[in-house]
Amino acid sequence: MVPRETLHLPRPRAILSVALAALLTVSLASCAPEPDEIAGAKTKDQIAESDGSGDAEDRGERAEIPDDAIQKHTELPDGFPSEAFPLPKGAVIDDTGERASGEWFVVLRAEDAQEAEALWNGVITGGGFEASDQAGDPQRDASATLRGSGLEVFALMLPQDDGSVLLSYDLTAQPEG
């Protein structure tokens, strides 16, 4: 009989370790998700089979905005708090609407900074508002928070490239208290 060291036979522990490693590798590989299951990823076959009718995000395009979402409204919506937020005489409504129950917006357009300042002051005095958090002036972007008459209003004055000025008001009804 030839001694074991001379034959260079592997030891039983080494054989067992290699077998366990191989078994674990096969087991783990069988648990891996399929490529199309990884975070919604598509396989090359799925992409090739696509007829291009997926949504805009799938095609890498921007979603189209409906025309009625872009269309401006110049008539105050039903329920607009006209008594609590009276518009100055001669004010031109550029856009208006209701965001939700008790929330409205109105955008006024002024021909120039002087008219914008008159409208700005007219809204504050006409509605009996107290202005706070004021920043900027009619020559630059101005903002303020107006409170009073059961409303909280975030106001912005935005000069335009053509010299006109937009005055944007976001109104929120405040509970009586």
Side-chain angles (χ1 to χ4, degrees):
M1 186 167 224
V2 180
R4 181 180 187 101
E5 294 81 31
T6 311
L7 292 175
H8 300 295
L9 295 174
R11 295 188 172 178
R13 282 188 191 163
I15 293 172
L16 184 59
S17 295
V18 170
L20 270 173
L23 183 61
L24 279 173
T25 302
V26 170
S27 296
L28 290 176
S30 67
C31 293
E34 293 298 317
D36 61 339
E37 294 176 1
I38 299 174
K42 291 187 175 186
T43 65
K44 289 179 184 178
D45 292 337
Q46 287 173 320
I47 293 170
E49 290 173 7
S50 174
D51 63 357
S53 65
D55 62 13
E57 186 178 320
D58 288 344
R59 295 187 311 266
E61 299 173 11
R62 293 184 127 195
E64 223 174 283
I65 299 172
D67 288 339
D68 62 341
I70 297 172
Q71 185 178 359
K72 292 184 176 187
H73 302 279
T74 57
E75 296 290 320
L76 293 173
D78 291 339
F80 187 88
S82 296
E83 288 184 26
F85 192 86
L87 297 179
K89 186 174 181 159
V92 175
I93 298 173
D94 186 71
D95 195 13
T96 187
E98 184 174 14
R99 296 192 195 284
S101 178
E103 295 180 15
W104 305 268
F105 71 93
V106 63
V107 179
L108 305 178
R109 179 173 291 277
E111 291 296 318
D112 54 32
Q114 185 178 358
E115 182 184 349
E117 190 169 9
L119 287 171
W120 182 268
N121 292 329
V123 165
I124 293 171
T125 57
F129 291 106
E130 183 179 314
S132 62
D133 305 323
Q134 294 184 60
D137 61 53
Q139 306 307 319
R140 300 187 310 265
D141 296 347
S143 65
T145 301
L146 311 177
R147 289 185 181 85
S149 304
L151 293 173
E152 180 174 276
V153 181
F154 181 69
L156 284 174
M157 188 181 306
L158 305 162
Q160 304 298 296
D161 292 338
D162 65 359
S164 66
V165 180
L166 295 178
L167 291 92
S168 174
Y169 298 95
D170 282 311
L171 296 77
T172 304
Q174 297 298 296
E176 299 293 323

